[in-house]
Amino acid sequence: MLQREQRNNIFPLSICLVAACLVLLVIRFITVACAGSTSLPGPLTDTTVSAGKLGTWRVITGTGTAPGKLAAPTYLAVDKQDNVYVSDTGNHRIQKLSPDGQSLAQWGTFGDTLGQFKSPTGISVDSQGNIYVADMENHCVHKLSPSGEPVAQWGRKGSKPGQFNNPQGVALDTQGNIYVADMANCRIQKLSPSGQLLAQWGMGGSGVDQFNYPTGIALDAQGNVYVADWGNNRIQKLSPNGWPLAQWGTKGSGPGQFSRPVGIALDVQGNIYVAEQENHRIQRLSPEGEPMALWGSRGSEPGHFDFPVGIAINSKGPIYVAESANSRIQKLLAQLE
């Protein structure tokens, strides 16, 4: 049985398209009529924040179609060996890179059959090295073997349980369950390792237990779920069963504020890293949501960002950021305090 299944409360979708610079600088969204009156406590106000130094960032990829080159990349993941997996969205493929950005493998071509993609987005890797990919324009989730062979594919376009509408972030728990940010349906869906729907949480709106185009998703060691609530300019934290625990952020450019948060990742201490699309920066929050550090401004030099989307952290601490508009990945070479 679905946990907390929505009962005829998925808001009707209009035909209208909403531009958003996320994939190839323009992503098609479906406008949702959102409503909500209840909210969790407001954002924390501590603004003692450190700023990063530009010289600590290094570009490890560039623009193009050759192996190791990118076109409007979006989300990132790392495996146990700290290899980097990137949704090379504009090239409609997945790439595997070494920790320093050397090309190791690439999989996929443009299309809608098994092993093909139309604008892949969210990506995650399990402990066995299997790769899970949200396929935005095919409205499904793929599972690939560690060598990139197609294993399974789940979902199709729609708003019913188990269907997707422009899926974005993907995350895995320790049991191998799959969490998907079902963006245009304004909800999170949880699938079993075999792709069976286990639960769905959320609806369109700005209140508690509501989302306005959820994008990035990440889990902590306790199985709590963190969601970048793009349209509401906030981060939401849910329990493993989907109950709202906390929310942080309002729209703005100050510490602890967000402008279109997209990618989200957690380090081993539980600190939260957020890629802000329209502020062109990365923020680090404490596990309690206190702003700790922020890096970047708009530009093309190392340490600057242009529409950052994906973010991932390897086991040794370096942070990777995928920039959609600069079509590259940057690596933070050292932790900053």
Side-chain angles (χ1 to χ4, degrees), residues 23 28 74-75 87-89 92-94 108-123 132-144 152-157 163-170 180-182:
V23 177
R28 296 173 300 159
T74 51
Y75 294 83
S87 288
D88 188 4
T89 305
H92 307 284
R93 66 186 177 187
I94 302 302
T109 57
F110 178 82
D112 55 11
T113 61
L114 197 63
Q116 294 185 313
F117 304 102
K118 286 184 179 180
S119 300
T121 48
I123 188 167
Y132 299 77
V133 181
D135 191 344
M136 186 182 70
E137 293 190 31
N138 282 325
H139 309 282
C140 66
V141 175
H142 299 262
K143 179 181 179 180
L144 309 179
Q153 180 175 310
W154 307 300
R156 58 188 177 88
K157 187 173 184 178
Q163 297 179 336
F164 301 105
N165 194 348
N166 298 134
Q168 295 287 309
V170 174
V180 182
D182 189 5

Side-chain angles (χ1 to χ4, degrees), residues 11 32-41 186 202-213 229 231-234 236 247 249:
F11 281 28
V32 180
C34 294
S37 57
T38 307
S39 62
L40 293 174
C186 294
M203 58 187 292
S206 59
V208 174
D209 200 21
Q210 296 179 333
F211 301 101
N212 188 359
Y213 302 129
D229 191 355
N232 285 321
N233 297 295
R234 65 185 179 185
Q236 293 204 59
Q247 66 173 27

Side-chain angles (χ1 to χ4, degrees), residues 172-222:
L172 304 169
D173 65 20
T174 55
Q175 288 76 45
N177 297 310
I178 308 153
Y179 298 74
V180 182
D182 189 5
M183 183 183 67
N185 282 326
C186 294
R187 65 186 179 189
I188 304 302
Q189 295 204 62
K190 178 181 177 180
L191 310 179
S192 73
S194 61
Q196 298 299 309
L197 182 66
L198 299 177
Q200 62 177 27
W201 311 309
M203 58 187 292
S206 59
V208 174
D209 200 21
Q210 296 179 333
F211 301 101
N212 188 359
Y213 302 129
T215 50
I217 188 167
L219 273 66
D220 65 18
Q222 292 72 45

Side-chain angles (χ1 to χ4, degrees), residues 51-310:
K53 298 178 181 179
L54 299 184
T56 58
W57 291 90
R58 182 164 66 86
V59 176
I60 63 170
T61 62
T63 305
T65 59
K69 302 297 184 180
L70 304 170
T74 51
Y75 294 83
L76 297 172
V78 294
D79 64 16
K80 292 190 297 185
Q81 291 74 41
D82 291 329
N83 296 309
V84 180
Y85 297 74
V86 55
S87 288
D88 188 4
T89 305
N91 286 322
H92 307 284
R93 66 186 177 187
I94 302 302
Q95 292 207 60
K96 178 181 178 181
L97 310 174
S98 73
D100 291 322
Q102 300 300 309
S103 176
L104 299 178
Q106 59 179 12
W107 309 298
T109 57
F110 178 82
D112 55 11
T113 61
L114 197 63
Q116 294 185 313
F117 304 102
K118 286 184 179 180
S119 300
T121 48
I123 188 167
S124 190
V125 182
D126 68 19
S127 58
Q128 287 75 47
N130 298 301
I131 307 150
Y132 299 77
V133 181
D135 191 344
M136 186 182 70
E137 293 190 31
N138 282 325
H139 309 282
C140 66
V141 175
H142 299 262
K143 179 181 179 180
L144 309 179
S145 73
S147 60
E149 294 294 325
V151 175
Q153 180 175 310
W154 307 300
R156 58 188 177 88
K157 187 173 184 178
S159 59
K160 294 179 180 179
Q163 297 179 336
F164 301 105
N165 194 348
N166 298 134
Q168 295 287 309
V170 174
L172 304 169
D173 65 20
T174 55
Q175 288 76 45
N177 297 310
I178 308 153
Y179 298 74
V180 182
D182 189 5
M183 183 183 67
N185 282 326
C186 294
R187 65 186 179 189
I188 304 302
Q189 295 204 62
K190 178 181 177 180
L191 310 179
S192 73
S194 61
Q196 298 299 309
L197 182 66
L198 299 177
Q200 62 177 27
W201 311 309
M203 58 187 292
S206 59
V208 174
D209 200 21
Q210 296 179 333
F211 301 101
N212 188 359
Y213 302 129
T215 50
I217 188 167
L219 273 66
D220 65 18
Q222 292 72 45
N224 297 309
V225 183
Y226 298 73
V227 181
D229 191 355
W230 184 91
N232 285 321
N233 297 295
R234 65 185 179 185
I235 303 301
Q236 293 204 59
K237 178 181 178 181
L238 312 177
S239 75
N241 293 323
W243 296 104
L245 298 177
Q247 66 173 27
W248 306 298
T250 56
K251 184 172 177 60
S253 59
Q257 295 182 318
F258 302 103
S259 185
R260 305 311 188 198
V262 188
I264 186 168
L266 277 72
D267 65 19
V268 294
Q269 287 80 36
N271 298 310
I272 307 155
Y273 297 73
V274 182
E276 294 183 69
Q277 191 180 46
E278 292 186 357
N279 278 332
H280 308 284
R281 68 183 183 186
I282 305 302
Q283 282 206 67
R284 180 173 70 185
L285 310 178
S286 73
E288 297 74 34
E290 297 279 356
M292 297 175 66
L294 52 84
W295 308 295
S297 59
R298 191 170 195 174
S300 58
E301 296 297 317
H304 295 277
F305 304 102
D306 202 349
F307 290 99
V309 178

